[in-house]
Amino acid sequence: MTSYAFPDDLLEAQRDWYAAYRQLAQEENPSRTTVLRRTLQRLSVRITTHPYWATVPGRAPAARMALKQQTWEPAAEEARQ
């Protein structure tokens, strides 16, 4: 597997996306779900339009999956809550 040097702000945005997604899955308050969905939309735009992706032409799909795998830490996230 190829190693990618993701910028810290991109890693943070992806971690924040996962955290918001987990919160949305557990939320029952309709007004709070709206806020979380908007947060997910903003983070999605930040992640997909990050300048880093221009540096990996042709390998962007693999890099995107590597970013997701690197930041998917459900056990660590739950331990922080």
Side-chain angles (χ1 to χ4, degrees):
M1 181 175 172
T2 304
S3 178
Y4 298 95
F6 297 114
D8 290 338
D9 63 329
L10 183 56
L11 290 166
E12 181 181 350
Q14 185 66 54
R15 285 188 194 107
D16 290 347
W17 191 96
Y18 281 131
Y21 188 82
R22 288 184 193 106
Q23 289 174 2
L24 180 61
Q26 298 174 356
E27 188 59 54
E28 294 180 13
N29 181 339
S31 64
R32 182 72 180 137
T33 60
T34 300
V35 170
L36 288 168
R37 287 175 193 214
R38 288 181 181 155
T39 299
L40 285 172
Q41 288 175 331
R42 281 193 304 273
L43 288 167
S44 294
V45 169
R46 187 181 312 160
I47 292 164
T48 59
T49 62
H50 194 281
Y52 173 78
W53 302 121
T55 68
V56 286
R59 298 182 309 171
R64 289 178 195 271
M65 288 308 300
L67 173 68
K68 291 178 180 188
Q69 290 172 348
Q70 185 173 336
T71 56
W72 176 250
E73 301 173 3
E77 179 67 29
E78 290 170 6
R80 284 183 267 191
Q81 294 179 352

